[in-house]
């Protein structure tokens, strides 16, 4: 059985043996659709291991004002009262003199690490220039230390898909350097 309706619909494929009225022995279901621009944004992945305990790595990575001091030409302002939680908003302002842009972000997932479980924070970028999201995971390692996984979907308004490789490369360099500095012992 093969069903199709339009390019954005679900396509189901089932294979049955020749016996009548049997259940499918194999089924595949997937979505066929044209990707929108958001699906084509450059994805930035960074994995970093540290000797710091997961709780300490978490505290350093979620100190939003400290991010501004580790990213060149950037200052971060937290707009909501502490402690950080879902709904916390902050803005990273980058630039020199009058040539600046704001990167406002909001915490949409906040799960600090606990004994034996990973911590996860997800940020959504809500600016006019920089759009996308970031997800930072801190996983405890045995016998000591932590692994940090930084995943970011990034788009700069006004730059077409042609510039995605440049944005991704610059993001990996910038975020990788900031991550290493934030976790420096």
């Amino acid at each position: 059985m093969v069903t199709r309706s339009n390019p954005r619909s679900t396509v189901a494929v089932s294979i049955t043996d020749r016996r009548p009225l049997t259940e499918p022995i194999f089924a595949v279901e997937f979505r066929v659709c044209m990707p929108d621009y958001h699906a084509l944004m450059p994805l930035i992945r960074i994995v970093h291991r540290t000797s710091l305990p997961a709780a300490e790595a978490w505290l350093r990575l979620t100190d939003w004002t400290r991010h501004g001091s580790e990213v060149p030409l950037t200052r971060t302002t937290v707009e909501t009262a502490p402690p950080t939680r879902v709904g916390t908003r902050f803005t990273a302002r980058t630039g020199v003199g009058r040539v600046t842009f704001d990167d406002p972000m909001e915490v949409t997932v906040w799960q600090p690490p606990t004994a034996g479980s990973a911590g996860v924070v997800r940020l959504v970028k809500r600016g006019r220039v920089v759009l996308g999201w970031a997800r930072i995971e801190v996983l405890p390692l045995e016998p000591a230390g932590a692994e940090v996984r930084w995943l970011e979907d990034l788009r700069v308004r006004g730059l077409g898909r042609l510039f995605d490789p440049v944005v991704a490369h610059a993001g990996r360099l910038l975020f990788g350097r900031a991550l290493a500095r934030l976790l420096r012992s």
Side-chain angles (χ1 to χ4, degrees), residues 133-146:
W133 54 266
R135 178 184 169 96
I136 303 168
E137 293 180 70
V138 178
L139 297 93
L141 296 176
E142 292 297 329

Side-chain angles (χ1 to χ4, degrees), residues 107-174:
V107 175
T108 59
V109 173
W110 179 259
Q111 298 170 347
T114 58
S117 70
V120 178
V121 63
R122 187 171 193 275
L123 308 168
V124 174
K125 296 174 173 287
R126 303 204 184 276
R128 287 190 260 159
V129 177
V130 181
L131 302 168
W133 54 266
R135 178 184 169 96
I136 303 168
E137 293 180 70
V138 178
L139 297 93
L141 296 176
E142 292 297 329
E147 180 175 278
V148 176
R149 296 178 186 167
W150 185 310
L151 185 64
E152 185 143 352
D153 228 345
L154 183 65
R155 179 167 50 116
V156 177
R157 191 179 305 259
L159 292 182
R161 288 191 4 224
L162 178 66
F163 292 95
D164 283 355
V166 174
V167 170
H169 181 71
R172 273 190 292 279
L173 288 175
L174 186 71

